[in-house]
Amino acid sequence: MLTFEQKLEIIESFPELTRKDVSMKRVNFHYEESLYDKKIVVYHLHPNGNGFVYVGNLPHYEADAKGFVNIRDFSDKELRSIVADALDYLSLEPEPPYDKTWTNRDNEKLDLVYEEPFWNIYTGKNLEESFGTFSDAEDYLIDQGFKEPK
């Protein structure tokens, strides 16, 4: 496990980040150029080594409900990688709007709509299901016998 000082050194090597000292000797790092309202990349890095990095809904990380991953036991390489991924995530343009009606054999219709950060399935105006990724929503629709419009 990296020490607090080692984690600070790695995180501070990203010039895009701005350090903000907070209570109980914890440190946050902000990305002021974020294309989103979310600016905090590193949250509550603590002298005991605990801390979190925001990855939103990136599929290759197991984030909590708020999009943060605990970095307590991360290696140098893992920490560099997750911070770089977080910066990429916050600097990419949002996905283009997706709002398509899927139909089954009985001509029943469900609408799949991307509403950051979720892929929502509606029956008319009623929310039926919500997913974190397009792939999960697509799998659900296909399992239910629906096909994507051409």
Side-chain angles (χ1 to χ4, degrees):
M1 180 175 86
L2 298 170
T3 66
F4 175 69
E5 290 76 19
Q6 291 169 317
K7 287 179 182 173
L8 274 178
E9 185 178 329
I10 292 167
I11 296 164
E12 288 175 338
S13 74
F14 290 87
E16 306 95 321
L17 296 175
T18 305
R19 180 179 173 150
K20 308 272 184 177
D21 293 334
V22 292
S23 63
M24 298 189 298
K25 299 183 182 177
R26 295 176 297 187
V27 181
N28 290 347
F29 286 87
H30 294 227
Y31 177 46
E32 301 300 337
E33 301 301 315
S34 174
L35 296 178
Y36 302 91
D37 289 338
K38 183 55 125 179
K39 304 274 186 221
I40 296 176
V41 172
V42 178
Y43 179 70
H44 284 179
L45 182 61
H46 192 275
N48 70 9
N50 204 27
F52 303 88
V53 172
Y54 180 76
V55 294
N57 58 5
L58 286 175
H60 52 284
Y61 292 104
E62 291 187 33
D64 65 16
K66 294 181 180 180
F68 286 97
V69 172
N70 189 304
I71 58 167
R72 180 179 185 85
D73 297 321
F74 273 40
S75 68
D76 178 296
K77 183 178 177 183
E78 290 170 320
L79 183 57
R80 288 180 195 283
S81 180
I82 196 171
V83 172
D85 287 346
L87 289 169
D88 286 346
Y89 181 75
L90 293 171
S91 62
L92 293 175
E93 290 292 332
E95 292 193 31
Y98 183 99
D99 185 350
K100 293 188 180 176
T101 301
W102 291 51
T103 308
N104 67 9
R105 289 185 194 159
D106 299 327
N107 207 30
E108 296 172 319
K109 298 179 185 314
L110 291 177
D111 296 315
L112 177 57
V113 180
Y114 181 68
E115 298 171 312
E116 176 71 33
F118 299 107
W119 292 88
N120 295 322
I121 298 174
Y122 291 94
T123 305
K125 293 184 179 188
N126 297 321
L127 179 65
E128 181 170 315
E129 292 287 339
S130 188
F131 298 91
T133 66
F134 173 80
S135 180
D136 289 344
E138 179 183 46
D139 289 346
Y140 172 83
L141 287 164
I142 291 169
D143 287 348
Q144 298 299 313
F146 287 82
K147 293 188 179 184
E148 184 174 13
K150 305 264 183 217

